[in-house]
């Protein structure tokens, strides 16, 4: 198979391209603000349609919510219970599309719901059979009823007292930050210009219409003006800040905090996930094998502030550990937590809604076009990022901001997806060279491919991140190009100096080692 080499992305060339477009007063078709799942999806979709696209992100790609998900590509079993059939059907279609377009990043995963009451297996099994029916030919595997011994075999560490059996069903799992970077790189291959660490400071207007962005390069302090026919605000929980510049002061987002705890794999050995459909507060709890560890979560707690690094509340940590203890024979303690991370979900707030109950708020996405032409998109979830992007571009076309063109991303493989000759490993296995898919050969050709720092991270992987994956800071590498900060914060801190040295060699920029060490301390209990 003839594989293209990775697209080299030196920072100075990206800013030079932006400077040249500013000097020539060139006008982009589309300027996207926000480098999370939604913004990157919009940029890729638009670029694949032949539009001239620029995307700016104030921090690193997927710095916020998009790197802090539960790592599930799913139709949404709980949405089915709420009767939201259309959302589930759309998500199930997008689930199989994502698994097809990025098999090195997203894979099927078996889940087991243990039954401790006589009615639970039948009750949940019927609902999950409906889930299968909605998936149709896009299903990943049939729902099956398990005996007590079969449930124990699938979940070796499950609590046996009172166990009657279980139900197994299938959904998907992925590496969210890796997918974000793959979207950025695929969009760049399609001709888009994407810049992380480029802050959109204000909107530009001409005769009352939004016509571009004033941006500041976070790394150099230089200012740029971007002119575009259409501007999309895809900043997640922060969309209201940009809307306020457009004179729109009603908040449309009610942030909800989700906490995840990571423990060693022995608490849930194997490659099957545990799903508890109804916790003591009527939420869903997952225990998911991921990259050699186990993720426990998540919570759903309203909060008013919009910190880029929100901290877990003590009661959230206690809740997760307490619920896990009900279903695992050996319950993890606070001392067993290797990393803890928090994300803010951008839940769409109905007009004049003052409710603090986020479970009742919409998980669907919303696309709005203001009188000035600012397009805002928020809500949704990772699984439906591609469908969200299509909806955004359709709204732009319907509003006369962009031309009507057919979308192409339904069958557009992402970089690294040419994996027919690559041995795949499940995402429950530790992150390694296999996670690069068809690009692992290029990693092996870089200096230091046999020099491993620890945690499965080689010097070549750091160099690859700097040359081809937009990485600038230690945090970019240890939090998102590799996921070590999210897996073992203490170990990540030990590698900071070594990674910083390699990044400085590659980029000539300050890798911000001290900033990372301060951040990583917040990921420990």
């Amino acid at each position: 198979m003839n594989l293209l080499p990775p697209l080299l992305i030196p920072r100075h060339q990206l800013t030079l391209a932006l400077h040249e477009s500013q000097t020539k007063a060139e006008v982009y078709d589309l300027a996207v603000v926000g480098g999370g799942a939604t913004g990157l999806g919009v940029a890729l979709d638009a670029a694949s349609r032949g539009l001239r696209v620029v995307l700016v992100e104030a921090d690193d790609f997927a710095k916020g919510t998009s790197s802090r998900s539960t790592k599930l590509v799913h139709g949404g079993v709980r949405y089915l219970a709420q009767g939201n059939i259309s959302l589930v059907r759309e998500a199930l279609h997008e689930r199989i599309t994502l698994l097809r377009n990025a098999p090195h990043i997203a894979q099927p995963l078996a889940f087991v719901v243990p039954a401790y009451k006589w009615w639970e297996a039948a009750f949940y099994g019927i609902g999950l059979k409906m889930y299968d029916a909605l998936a149709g030919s896009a299903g990943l595997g049939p729902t099956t009823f398990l005996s007590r011994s079969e449930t124990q075999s699938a979940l070796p560490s499950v609590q046996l007292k009172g166990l009657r059996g279980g139900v197994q069903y299938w959904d998907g799992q992925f590496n969210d930050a890796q997918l974000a970077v793959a979207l950025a790189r695929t969009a760049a291959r399609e001709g888009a210009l994407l810049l992380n660490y480029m802050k959109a400071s204000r909107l530009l207007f001409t005769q009352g219409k939004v016509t571009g962005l004033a941006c500041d390069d976070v790394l150099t302090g230089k200012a740029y003006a971007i002119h575009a026919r259409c501007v999309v605000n895809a900043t997640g929980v922060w969309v209201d800040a940009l809307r306020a510049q457009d004179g729109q002061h009603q908040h449309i987002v009610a942030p909800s905090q989700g906490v995840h705890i990571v423990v060693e794999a022995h608490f849930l050995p194997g490659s099957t996930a545990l799903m508890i459909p109804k916790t003591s507060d009527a939420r869903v709890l997952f225990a998911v094998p991921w990259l050699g560890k186990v993720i426990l979560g998540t919570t759903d707690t309203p909060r008013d502030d919009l910190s880029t690094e929100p901290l877990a509340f003590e009661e959230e940590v206690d809740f997760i550990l307490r619920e896990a203890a009900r279903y695992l024979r050996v319950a993890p303690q606070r001392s067993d937590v290797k990393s803890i991370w928090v994300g803010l979900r951008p839940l769409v707030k109905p007009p004049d809604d003052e409710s603090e109950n986020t479970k009742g708020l919409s998980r669907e996405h919303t696309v709005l076009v203001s009188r000035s032409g600012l397009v805002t998109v928020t809500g949704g979830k990772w699984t439906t990022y591609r469908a969200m992007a299509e909806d955004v571009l359709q709204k732009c076309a319907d509003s006369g901001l962009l031309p009507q063109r057919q979308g192409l991303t339904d069958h557009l493989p992402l970089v690294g997806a040419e994996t027919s000759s690559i041995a795949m490993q499940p995402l429950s296995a530790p992150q390694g060279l296999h996670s690069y898919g068809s690009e692992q050969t290029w990693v092996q050709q870089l200096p230091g491919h046999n020099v491993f720092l620890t945690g499965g991270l080689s010097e070549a992987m750091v160099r690859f991140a700097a040359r081809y994956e937009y990485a600038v800071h230690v945090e970019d590498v240890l939090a998102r190009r590799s996921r070590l900060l999210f897996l073992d914060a203490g170990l990540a801190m030990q590698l900071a100096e070594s990674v910083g040295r390699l990044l400085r060699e590659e980029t000539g920029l300050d890798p911000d080692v001290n900033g990372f060490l301060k951040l990583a301390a917040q990921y420990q209990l």
Side-chain angles (χ1 to χ4, degrees), residues 256-261 281 283 285 296-303 310-323 334 340-345 525:
S256 170
Q257 174 165 295
V259 174
H260 299 84
I261 288 173
D281 73 341
R283 274 191 49 76
L285 182 77
L296 301 174
T298 176
T299 58
D300 191 359
T301 309
R303 65 181 299 164
L311 300 177
F313 301 125
E314 287 294 319
E315 56 267 28
E316 292 177 303
V317 177
D318 292 339
F319 166 78
I320 292 174
L321 293 175
R322 183 173 64 250
E323 292 295 320
R334 294 177 70 92
I340 180 168
W341 30 277
V342 183
L344 298 179
R345 303 182 186 92
L525 280 182

Side-chain angles (χ1 to χ4, degrees), residues 229-230 394-404:
R229 295 180 177 87
C230 179
Q394 187 59 55
K395 193 83 167 184
C396 294
D398 292 343
S399 303
L401 298 169
L402 291 175
Q404 289 274 6

Side-chain angles (χ1 to χ4, degrees), residues 17-74:
L18 186 60
H19 175 75
E20 289 178 350
S21 70
Q22 176 181 255
T23 302
K24 297 175 182 177
E26 293 179 346
V27 179
Y28 288 91
D29 294 311
L30 176 65
V32 181
V33 186
T38 307
L40 293 168
V42 170
L44 173 57
D45 193 326
S48 69
R49 300 184 192 205
L51 298 175
R52 194 154 185 260
V53 179
V54 60
L55 179 147
V56 294
E57 161 58 44
D59 210 290
D60 185 30
F61 301 128
K63 160 71 175 179
T65 306
S66 295
S67 62
R68 302 156 190 266
S69 73
T70 315
K71 321 307 177 195
L72 303 181
V73 185
H74 62 115

